[in-house]
Amino acid sequence: MSTFPASIHLPLVFTSLYLLSACASGPTTPAPAMALRYSVPDQAMQPEAASGRSAQTGWAFTRQAVAAANPLATDAGHQVLRAGGSALDAAIAVQMVLGLVEPQSSGIGGGAFLLHFDGQKVTAHDGRETAPAGARPDMLLNAQGQPLPFQEAVQSGHAVGVPGVVRMLEVAHRQHGRLPWSQLFGPAIALAEQGFAVSPRLHSLLQADPLLRQDPLALRFFYQPDGQAWPVGHVLRNPEYAHVLRRIAEDGSRALHEGPVAQAIVQRTQAPPRPGSLSLQDLRDYQPKVREALCFEHSALQRHYRICGFPPPSSGQIAVGQVLGMLKHTTAQGAELVQGQPSADWLHRYSEASRLAFADRAQYVADPDFVAAPAGHWHSLLAPDYLRQRSQLIGPRAMASAPAGQPAGTRSSWAPMPAQTEYGTSHISVVDARGRAVAMTTTIEAAFGARRMVSTSASRAGGFLLNNEMTDFSFAPADAQGRPIANRVEPGKRPRSSMSPTLVFDAATGQLLMSGGSPGGALIIHYTAKWLTGTLHWGLNAQQAINLPNFGTLGGPVVLETQGFDKATVDALTARGHTVRETDMTSGLQAIERTPSGWFGGADPRREGVVMGD
Ligand code: GLY
């Protein structure tokens, strides 16, 4: 894949004034005209509601590029790259701005997975939230031992995990940073103090959120006195966030994990409803982990790739690898797009492979520090023989139920985890002029997380939101027969994730070809698979692949993006025995890919992301 189709070198069209940095232009930056639309997310699968769609054709650069979910955040990363910063430096600056301008998706109260390529090797930095020492396996059950309703669990203090993103970035910065740590906070501090224009997406999510107004701090900060969300373009200043960032810039992650900020986190977590156990000790003890990236080889259009992603506690890379690995033994292999869409036959086989992958995910994947991989290594779930054998379950019609497999040598007595709501999240991709790259997916779980805002001061407005990542654990610790579920709550454990930051390499030369990923709860797996299939199998550029209609399944119905597919496709899938549901599927893919002349970036038209570079 040293070249992508010629059609990729398209002009930048997303040139709204909104792209201008508020750091440079002051706080009156207007927001873009964008069709506003809100629809209630399907609680079974949608992380964040839709907020409209803008035309996107992609961005071309020669030396370096950064892609993120908000123009102000992308701009912060771009400033850092231009100042000679590394890809990792840029990602830190982006994250700090995202926590301000896209507070629904990620922030310093949450966690992240970061893949870093240093020109030679890939390192997986795990900043996933951990369960407090006082967490109990039944903490997400009601008095009758039944799983709490999801929203009740989200708002409970038990939902909050020990945040990990800042400490993880600090450790990664020691290894891969070029600019001083403190310098990377400048753009976010300036924006927080001067204010930023509320974006259409932030406005529509604030307006529609049923829970955030119940938090007094969030109500005062995000809403007008009459309870309406601040309008699009309103200049929102967050002096408390600026204050906390200044402390982190000066003292590092200690400023978050100890002292007044830590005390405020504990106080907010231990407040009603259902006070949690998160303690000062939990915050002090938090340690990010460096893991071995999980990579597999993949061939498409006579080219050979090495696709690297995040190992457990993420389930993303395993599921994506399984789906791609099973499809190559079916008629889906070599299938082309029909009138710009995947065909019904391809969607059928993709869905069947996905159902098998989700069955394995439910059975096996959990924090590797607590749960052994089947047959001793997660690669057992990606072994070519195993996937060939699994693919034989895919026939012309939908299978009645998709069972988990048993890789050779497996001795597992886990009960499968029931399907449950999963949320999230934001993605950052960066390539720098020295050939370093980052793919980082970052989250506070649900939109606006646990709806608990942290502040250290009664007089400063704003603050930051805490995650509800503990609801990524199985609410039920065991099945009806008492067999334990691998992804049950345990003290100090990290909940299973679907986040799939991905780096793609030429298998022969080791040259980096792409960096990408998406938010979207469990649907992240499908968004990532769509981007990879679109670019590697269908010859699309990153933007074209991102623009394709979304599709997927979490094991049950086939889900298709509303208005993405024609009736004939829906009817053909139904005729094969699938239940088909059409709904908004709000992916937020960001991807950067190598071209003959440098780099080309794509950002998801379903959100507000842009790519910048030089
Ligand atoms: N909370 C989203 C994920 O980790 O998959």
Side-chain angles (χ1 to χ4, degrees):
M1 193 180 54
S2 56
T3 60
F4 276 85
S7 58
I8 65 175
H9 303 290
L10 297 170
L12 166 64
V13 295
F14 190 64
T15 51
S16 159
L17 282 175
Y18 185 60
L19 285 179
L20 299 175
S21 156
C23 299
S25 61
T28 54
T29 312
M34 193 172 173
L36 272 184
R37 184 167 58 95
Y38 177 79
S39 55
V40 178
D42 179 331
Q43 291 303 316
M45 65 187 73
Q46 289 287 353
E48 288 179 26
S51 59
R53 194 172 166 134
S54 54
Q56 215 73 289
T57 53
W59 294 260
F61 306 101
T62 54
R63 295 173 51 240
Q64 54 191 7
V66 50
N70 178 285
L72 298 170
T74 308
D75 184 64
H78 188 204
Q79 290 180 44
V80 166
L81 288 180
R82 284 196 163 168
S86 65
L88 191 273
D89 292 332
I92 294 171
V94 169
Q95 172 66 84
M96 298 308 146
V97 175
L98 284 179
L100 176 72
V101 301
E102 199 200 30
Q104 66 270 26
S105 297
S106 75
I108 60 176
F113 293 139
L114 185 149
L115 281 185
H116 185 269
F117 177 59
D118 66 2
Q120 305 279 321
K121 66 176 192 315
V122 180
T123 310
H125 291 271
D126 176 346
R128 187 70 164 165
E129 299 90 333
T130 58
R136 298 186 319 268
D138 63 354
M139 72 182 191
L140 299 172
L141 302 178
N142 66 16
Q144 290 71 46
Q146 297 303 310
L148 288 171
F150 186 75
Q151 296 297 12
E152 210 179 302
V154 164
Q155 279 184 293
S156 86
H158 294 301
V160 182
V162 185
V165 66
V166 173
R167 196 154 268 180
M168 179 274 284
L169 289 173
E170 183 178 54
V171 168
H173 181 259
R174 277 189 213 123
Q175 294 174 21
H176 314 297
R178 290 193 89 207
L179 297 182
W181 169 259
S182 59
Q183 195 175 328
L184 309 175
F185 293 77
I189 292 170
L191 267 175
E193 284 176 343
Q194 294 164 21
F196 68 96
V198 169
S199 77
R201 183 167 175 78
L202 175 56
H203 168 77
S204 65
L205 267 66
L206 285 170
Q207 187 62 21
D209 193 86
L211 306 174
L212 191 60
R213 291 173 178 85
Q214 292 171 25
D215 181 84
L217 282 177
L219 178 65
R220 236 184 5 256
F221 179 63
F222 287 118
Y223 296 93
Q224 303 177 58
D226 65 358
Q228 298 299 303
W230 290 113
V232 174
H234 170 79
V235 176
L236 195 56
R237 295 181 177 82
N238 191 336
E240 171 63 12
Y241 185 63
H243 171 78
V244 173
L245 289 192
R246 268 191 209 293
R247 296 184 64 108
I248 297 172
E250 284 161 18
D251 295 339
S253 69
R254 213 153 48 88
L256 187 87
H257 287 262
E258 296 177 36
V261 182
Q263 281 159 13
I265 292 173
V266 168
Q267 186 264 325
R268 293 299 294 125
T269 308
Q270 295 188 353
R274 300 179 77 92
S277 65
L278 194 149
S279 68
L280 286 173
Q281 182 81 34
D282 290 320
L283 282 161
R284 217 178 1 253
D285 288 352
Y286 181 86
Q287 289 302 330
K289 305 217 168 181
V290 177
R291 301 190 188 276
E292 194 184 329
L294 189 60
C295 304
F296 60 86
E297 308 258 317
H298 188 71
S299 298
L301 302 177
Q302 278 84 53
R303 308 186 69 164
H304 307 295
Y305 303 102
R306 183 169 170 76
I307 300 178
C308 292
F310 223 89
S314 183
S315 62
Q317 173 76 349
I318 290 174
V320 169
Q322 286 198 327
V323 172
L324 296 182
M326 280 185 261
L327 285 183
K328 73 178 176 208
H329 302 292
T330 73
T331 53
Q333 182 73 2
E336 294 182 357
L337 293 174
V338 180
Q339 292 173 341
Q341 283 185 4
S343 68
D345 183 68
W346 188 92
L347 286 166
H348 160 70
R349 292 181 199 280
Y350 177 89
S351 302
E352 293 294 89
S354 299
R355 292 173 70 200
L356 293 167
F358 271 76
D360 276 2
R361 174 180 181 268
Q363 183 79 18
Y364 295 115
V365 183
D367 184 340
D369 296 329
F370 286 74
V371 168
H377 203 286
W378 299 107
H379 271 116
S380 64
L381 291 166
L382 292 168
D385 278 353
Y386 175 64
L387 295 181
R388 187 172 34 73
Q389 175 207 323
R390 293 283 281 161
S391 73
Q392 286 162 7
L393 296 172
I394 301 174
R397 290 187 55 80
M399 62 187 91
S401 67
Q406 208 155 11
T410 308
R411 277 174 294 137
S412 154
S413 54
W414 300 120
M417 176 175 156
Q420 97 193 7
T421 311
E422 291 175 34
Y423 283 95
T425 304
S426 201
H427 181 80
I428 303 163
S429 275
V430 193
V431 291
D432 69 26
R434 295 165 69 243
R436 308 320 191 226
V438 163
M440 169 173 162
T441 312
T442 175
T443 186
I444 54 169
E445 225 297 284
F448 306 108
R451 277 69 162 200
R452 289 173 186 245
M453 198 159 193
V454 174
S455 169
T456 59
S457 155
S459 57
R460 274 188 300 269
F464 63 91
L465 290 162
L466 289 174
N467 71 84
N468 64 296
E469 219 67 52
M470 300 300 95
T471 64
D472 272 357
F473 280 118
S474 175
F475 285 27
D479 69 0
Q481 289 75 47
R483 288 182 305 164
I485 291 169
N487 185 35
R488 66 191 184 283
V489 180
E490 295 179 77
K493 191 175 178 183
R494 298 174 186 217
R496 185 191 70 189
S497 171
S498 302
M499 294 193 292
S500 308
T502 305
L503 296 172
V504 180
F505 298 88
D506 182 300
T509 65
Q511 185 183 46
L512 175 73
L513 300 177
M514 300 203 289
S515 166
S518 179
L523 292 172
I524 288 172
I525 289 162
H526 298 300
Y527 303 150
T528 307
K530 181 191 79 168
W531 158 59
L532 290 171
T533 307
T535 50
L536 306 184
H537 286 264
W538 294 331
L540 302 177
N541 71 47
Q543 189 64 61
Q544 292 165 334
I546 291 169
N547 290 352
L548 284 174
N550 282 322
F551 48 81
T553 173
L554 306 185
V558 174
V559 189
L560 301 179
E561 187 171 13
T562 307
Q563 295 177 353
F565 296 88
D566 54 28
K567 184 169 176 311
T569 301
V570 176
D571 289 348
L573 286 168
T574 308
R576 288 182 183 232
H578 294 284
T579 303
V580 178
R581 297 216 357 241
E582 292 178 86
T583 184
D584 286 325
M585 297 178 77
T586 314
S587 53
L589 281 155
Q590 248 85 238
I592 299 172
E593 65 196 12
R594 187 180 293 278
T595 68
S597 53
W599 298 101
F600 177 79
D604 207 310
R606 300 162 187 83
R607 300 201 185 204
E608 294 172 332
V610 297
V611 190
M612 295 181 190
D614 302 290

